């Protein structure tokens, strides 16, 4: 029986009193692998990518998964098997693409501060395109590529100055943000790029923010991008591909983002209507491919009812899942096995020594110590943002595929945390 009210349905579902993900009972997975534990559904990831791929079918395209959302090797391999490329933002992420056996020729390299060493590594690996974010970066890249006797294919990441109407920390396409080349400056930078050694202009790129729940800001940004393409080509340049960024939101609570195929359909229609239908389309989604495919399982350690607040203290904390502490993000929290007792209102908090260490506030839950809770929609920006604060080893990760659960990352050990530290005499 599926539970459409759960974000992550139909892969995440309540059957009787128990929570299941992709054919496994989550309490059994926790019993086998321990907590805190990230559990992902491969079927849900494949379905999420399928929605984009279906809408893009029939025209040249490359869907580049923004692996900052979830960079585990098995996740990368899952998407590589579907033919996806990758959006990376560091040499470390490039190393992950290679370690997962994916193709660097399908990689776009984004990011506002690439080091020369990272540029070199990406050129030698043969990445498909650098998304260049400033004039200074363009000059540095030209120098590095010429020095290696290589040519760097580039897009300019244009800052279109549109409001993605999302949390200020994850809005990236406004003039006041650090990202991209200002829209009104981009034409001149394209002219400059055309004359630089070691540089070949190939595309144009934008990314306006994350957890976007409306189509209008995308269309506004696209229009600005297409205006620029027309200007660059009037100047004699060639823009082969349009990279429309990522940013599509997911449902955490009551958000109603457009489905990926609806968004893509509208973008393609606008591209066609403006006579740009021959160009290859790239997109860089992260969250919408993995967010609702994962949960974070955690065990209730202690209950601390109080005069003002009831605290439910669990074994996962802000170091495992930073989003609530960092963005006041609301994430669903449900028991893995439902009790029939009356619910009380709890703040679900971790053991870290900060009042900012919370996962959910004022949640109605029937819980007892030893119960398992699932933090929902935890597949994106969970494990990748995890830290070792309070010398807490990072959680283990499990991939579930249609009834089979496989460990894909061992729980970190304290020895691993101490390795690399030096005690000088
Ligand atoms: N491309 C670029 C250049 C990006 O900067 C990002 C995300 C993406 C693609 C993927 O965006 P997505 O489809 O995942 O929205 N940690 C925050 C989200 C930060 C997003 C940063 N950039 C969070 O937990 O909400």
């Amino acid at each position: 029986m599926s539970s459409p009210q759960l974000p992550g349905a139909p892969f995440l579902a309540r059957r009787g009193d128990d929570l299941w993900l992709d054919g496994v009972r989550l309490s059994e997975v926790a019993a086998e692998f321990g907590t805190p534990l990230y559990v992902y559904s491969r079927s849900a990831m494949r379905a999420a990518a399928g929605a984009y791929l279906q809408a893009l079918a029939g025209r040249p395209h490359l869907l580049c998964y923004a692996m900052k959302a979830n960079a585990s090797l098995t996740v990368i391999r899952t998407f590589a098997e579907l033919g996806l490329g990758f959006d990376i933002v560091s040499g470390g992420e490039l190393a992950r693409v290679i370690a997962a056996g994916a193709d660097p020729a399908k990689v776009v390299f984004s990011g506002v501060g690439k080091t020369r060493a990272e540029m070199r590594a990406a050129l030698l690996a043969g990445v498909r395109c650098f998304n260049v974010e400033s004039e200074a970066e363009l000059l540095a890249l030209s120098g590095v590529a010429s020095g290696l006797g290589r040519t760097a294919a580039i897009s300019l990441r244009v800052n279109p100055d549109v409001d993605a109407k999302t949390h200020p920390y994850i809005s990236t396409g406004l003039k006041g943000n650090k990202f991209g080349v200002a829209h009104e400056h981009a034409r001149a930078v394209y002219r400059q790029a055309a004359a630089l050694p070691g540089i070949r202009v190939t595309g144009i790129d934008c990314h306006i923010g994350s957890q976007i729940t409306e189509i209008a800001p995308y269309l506004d940004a696209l229009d600005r991008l297409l205006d620029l393409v027309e200007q660059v080509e009037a100047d004699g340049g060639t823009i082969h591909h349009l990279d429309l960024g990522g940013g599509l939101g997911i449902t955490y609570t009551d958000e109603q983002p457009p489905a990926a195929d609806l968004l893509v359909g509208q973008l393609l229609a606008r591209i066609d209507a403006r006579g740009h239908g021959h160009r290859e389309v790239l997109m860089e989604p992260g969250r919408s491919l993995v967010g609702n495919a994962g949960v974070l399982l955690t065990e209730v350690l202690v209950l601390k009812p109080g005069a003002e607040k009831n605290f439910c203290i669990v074994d996962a904390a802000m170091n495992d899942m930073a989003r609530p502490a960092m963005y006041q993000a609301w994430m669903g929290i449900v028991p893995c096995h439902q009790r029939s007792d009356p619910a009380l209102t709890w703040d679900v908090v971790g053991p870290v020594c900060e009042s900012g260490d919370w996962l959910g506030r004022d949640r109605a839950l029937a819980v007892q110590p030893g119960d398992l809770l699932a933090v929902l929609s935890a597949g994106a920006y969970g494990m990748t943002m995890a830290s070792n604060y309070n010398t807490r080893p990072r959680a283990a990760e499990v991939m579930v595929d249609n009834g089979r659960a496989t460990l894909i990352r061992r729980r970190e050990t304290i020895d691993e945390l101490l390795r690399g530290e030096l005690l000088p005499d």
Side-chain angles (χ1 to χ4, degrees):
M1 204 176 56
S2 74
S3 308
Q5 76 279 10
L6 287 174
F11 303 99
L12 183 70
R14 197 160 289 280
R15 292 194 207 163
D17 288 329
D18 287 339
L19 196 62
W20 291 66
L21 181 66
D22 204 352
V24 301
R25 196 195 307 260
L26 285 171
S27 53
E28 286 174 21
V29 184
E32 183 172 355
F33 299 103
T35 55
L37 183 71
Y38 277 100
V39 188
Y40 312 121
S41 156
R42 186 178 258 158
S43 309
M45 291 185 184
R46 288 198 184 111
Y52 279 93
L53 292 174
Q54 220 169 7
L56 288 163
R59 79 168 64 211
H61 68 268
L62 184 63
L63 190 60
C64 293
Y65 167 57
M67 68 163 72
K68 63 170 75 68
N70 185 326
S72 297
L73 296 181
T74 305
V75 173
I76 295 172
R77 181 164 289 177
T78 298
F79 289 128
E81 282 169 1
L82 297 178
L84 268 63
F86 298 93
D87 171 80
I88 64 165
V89 290
S90 70
E93 289 192 344
L94 177 60
R96 285 188 172 275
V97 169
I98 294 167
D103 184 1
K106 289 185 176 175
V107 163
V108 297
F109 191 177
S110 299
V112 71
K114 305 173 185 81
T115 66
R116 284 176 168 75
E118 287 175 324
M119 291 175 182
R120 207 169 295 123
L123 282 162
L124 293 174
V127 302
R128 174 176 166 156
C129 184
F130 289 81
N131 290 339
V132 171
E133 301 225 11
S134 65
E135 218 177 310
E137 182 192 336
L138 184 65
L139 294 172
L141 182 59
S142 168
V144 173
S146 310
L148 287 173
R150 306 249 170 163
T151 303
I154 67 122
S155 276
L156 281 193
R157 175 169 176 184
V158 175
N159 184 334
D161 194 26
V162 301
D163 186 356
K165 304 201 175 70
T166 183
H167 191 285
Y169 280 17
I170 52 178
S171 178
T172 53
L174 279 170
K175 251 188 189 157
N177 300 132
K178 68 180 173 183
F179 299 101
V181 175
H183 180 252
E184 57 278 11
H185 196 45
R187 185 176 187 173
V189 181
Y190 267 112
R191 276 201 212 110
Q192 189 184 3
L196 282 174
I199 297 288
R200 179 168 52 84
V201 171
T202 177
I204 193 163
D205 167 49
C206 79
H207 174 81
I208 55 173
S210 195
Q211 186 54 16
I212 302 170
T213 54
E214 295 173 33
I215 293 182
Y218 277 101
L219 291 173
D220 291 347
L222 173 60
D223 273 330
R224 296 197 140 200
L225 230 56
L226 294 178
D227 292 346
L228 251 170
V229 170
E230 288 161 11
Q231 292 168 9
V232 171
E233 295 205 336
D235 292 342
T238 308
I239 300 288
H240 171 77
H241 74 249
L242 309 169
D243 180 341
L244 307 179
L248 178 60
I250 61 171
T251 301
Y252 288 97
T253 165
D254 53 4
E255 306 92 331
Q256 293 185 315
D261 47 355
L262 184 70
L263 170 68
V264 175
Q266 292 211 17
L267 290 169
L268 297 182
R270 179 67 61 93
I271 290 170
D272 292 346
R274 290 199 45 179
H276 292 266
H278 55 293
R279 298 185 205 280
E280 185 179 11
V281 173
L282 271 58
M283 293 188 80
E284 304 168 0
R287 187 191 319 262
S288 54
L289 294 187
V290 292
N292 274 331
V295 297
L296 170 61
L297 301 184
T298 182
E299 185 183 321
V300 177
L301 298 175
V302 185
L303 294 179
K304 256 181 99 170
E308 269 188 37
K309 282 273 184 188
N310 297 322
F311 290 105
C312 168
I313 300 170
V314 297
D315 67 358
M318 64 188 287
N319 74 294
D320 300 299
M321 169 50 78
R323 303 192 68 257
M326 200 157 167
Y327 315 114
Q328 288 79 50
W330 195 100
M331 309 192 61
I333 300 178
V334 298
C336 289
H337 178 83
Q338 236 161 7
R339 295 177 169 275
S340 50
D341 327 359
L344 287 181
T345 301
W346 299 96
D347 275 15
V348 180
V349 302
V352 161
C353 306
E354 297 219 16
S355 296
D357 177 29
W358 57 278
L359 297 172
R361 286 179 168 153
D362 298 324
R363 303 303 174 88
L365 289 166
V367 273
Q368 293 297 332
D371 282 4
L372 282 171
L373 298 177
V375 180
L376 308 183
S377 318
Y381 304 111
M383 190 62 178
T384 47
M385 292 175 67
S387 77
N388 295 121
Y389 189 37
N390 279 203
T391 307
R392 288 169 52 87
R394 285 177 306 160
E397 292 180 300
V398 165
M399 182 66 86
V400 179
D401 192 354
N402 205 9
R404 252 192 65 213
T406 310
L407 186 68
I408 62 167
R409 189 197 299 248
R410 278 185 293 104
R411 186 172 304 286
E412 218 166 16
T413 64
I414 290 174
D415 278 351
E416 284 168 328
L417 297 192
L418 301 187
R419 189 177 303 153
E421 289 196 38
L422 306 171
L423 271 176
D425 300 333

